[in-house]
Amino acid sequence: RRFVPQFEQSLRNVVAVVEAAGGKIEHIGRLTIYVVAKRQYKADQKAVGEAYRNVMGRHFPAMALLEIKSLLEPEAVVEIDATAVIP
């Protein structure tokens, strides 16, 4: 199963970028999650939640989940876009 590891790595990448800019997890105000198969997200929802808490803790910004046809990388099944407001 590729979905949960890619989901968790995508979140880690978002956090790394925010931290590199001097921010913290709590500065993330919005996440847009792009998935190629909504059914994968739903089927692995419990593991997705665990992966989310592993990375984001109890911080829950505004979120949207969009099912799309494909991503740039052929093996990619999830991509996360974020907006952070760093004081």
Side-chain angles (χ1 to χ4, degrees):
R1 297 211 150 183
R2 300 179 291 165
F3 187 84
V4 175
Q6 283 190 27
F7 177 83
E8 186 167 353
Q9 186 60 54
S10 293
L11 278 177
R12 290 188 188 287
N13 293 349
V14 164
V15 171
V17 169
V18 169
E19 289 175 345
K24 299 178 182 175
I25 287 174
E26 53 267 20
H27 296 136
I28 299 170
R30 180 194 57 80
L31 295 174
T32 303
I33 304 162
Y34 299 93
V35 299
V36 296
K38 179 173 58 174
R39 64 178 161 64
Q40 285 181 307
Y41 177 87
K42 291 176 99 175
D44 293 330
Q45 203 161 4
K46 184 175 181 180
V48 166
E50 290 173 15
Y52 181 91
R53 288 185 298 281
N54 285 343
V55 178
M56 300 290 286
R58 300 206 40 82
H59 178 63
F60 298 98
M63 288 184 250
L65 178 91
L66 302 170
E67 184 176 40
I68 59 173
K69 183 176 179 179
S70 65
L71 292 162
L72 180 61
E73 296 297 324
E75 298 297 315
V77 295
V78 61
E79 186 170 304
I80 300 175
D81 179 44
T83 300
V85 178
I86 302 171

